[in-house]
Amino acid sequence: SGPLGSPADKAVFAALRAAADVVLAGAATVNAERYRPPRTPPVEQERRRARGQRAKPRLAVVSGSLSLDPDLELFTDPAERPIVRTTHDAPTDRRRRLEPVADVVAAGTGRVDLAEALARLGEHGSVVLCEGGSALNGQLIALDLVDEVNLTVAPALAAGTSPRLAADHDEVLHPLDLAHLWEADGMLLARYVVRRPGT
């Protein structure tokens, strides 16, 4: 997702993380995006402390199979150990590999019980920011555990192997320019044109 971000998008991303008590993400997203411990600037840490929050948000990962690389930078800061929410029947060998670098907590069998997981994450504060991916988002929506959505529409035409507007074997990204934007009944309707060299 990095190439899709703009300065404004990154500012909103930072503001959302600054308000969160817990940042939640699925294992596939954490692996693909190569997650790191939260990099909260010192001035923001002071603001958080003044609001009664931890200096940095806790990072929580959902993984029923514990398919996480314990060598990810995410697991390298002992002061910022992530929480890993898994199942009671998760592979024992993978659990043993992660326990020295993360707080591994089980909720559910066969599939992570997200209602229980979120209730327990509430012990760390009331604001849980979910950064995806799509499977985790879908489960949270199906369980009616989502209170609000922050959506950025990036002006680019993308195709690749992930599910989206267009799928193909090759990853491509074409910049777009906004031509028109309409709003009706809270719905945004946009017309973009592909940005071509010399136009």
Side-chain angles (χ1 to χ4, degrees):
S1 64
L4 297 175
S6 68
D9 176 61
K10 290 174 182 171
V12 170
F13 178 82
L16 291 170
R17 273 201 167 191
D21 295 299
V22 179
V23 174
L24 179 67
T29 297
V30 166
N31 286 328
E33 300 284 345
R34 309 299 295 172
Y35 265 51
R36 300 179 298 233
R39 294 184 173 181
T40 309
V43 65
E44 194 55 55
Q45 291 183 39
E46 288 305 315
R47 287 185 189 132
R48 291 175 60 86
R49 285 189 191 101
R51 293 192 301 260
Q53 294 177 291
R54 290 179 83 248
K56 296 180 180 180
R58 287 295 302 266
L59 193 66
V61 183
V62 175
S63 178
S65 66
L66 293 178
S67 298
L68 289 158
D69 179 0
D71 294 325
L72 280 175
E73 191 177 342
L74 167 66
F75 299 110
T76 60
D77 185 350
E80 295 298 329
R81 285 170 60 97
I83 301 164
V84 176
R85 302 305 309 218
T86 190
T87 60
H88 291 287
D89 53 347
T92 307
D93 59 329
R94 292 181 183 174
R95 185 175 181 135
R96 277 197 216 106
R97 279 192 355 237
L98 288 170
E99 284 176 332
V101 294
D103 297 335
V104 182
V105 185
T109 301
R111 190 176 204 179
V112 176
D113 182 332
L114 291 175
E116 181 185 337
L118 282 182
R120 294 284 302 276
L121 289 176
E123 296 168 6
H124 302 282
S126 60
V127 180
V128 177
L129 172 66
C130 181
E131 295 181 352
S134 59
L136 178 57
N137 289 342
Q139 292 173 52
L140 291 170
I141 291 167
L143 294 167
D144 194 21
L145 296 173
V146 176
D147 294 319
E148 65 179 63
V149 176
N150 294 279
L151 179 66
T152 297
V153 178
L157 193 57
T161 55
S162 297
R164 52 188 140 205
L165 176 69
D168 190 54
H169 296 292
D170 297 318
E171 295 281 338
V172 297
L173 188 68
H174 299 294
L176 299 175
D177 291 318
L178 180 64
H180 295 93
L181 181 64
W182 301 271
E183 181 275 335
D185 302 319
M187 181 177 287
L188 295 177
L189 302 99
R191 175 177 172 259
Y192 287 94
V193 294
V194 176
R195 187 182 307 152
R196 307 279 185 203
T199 63

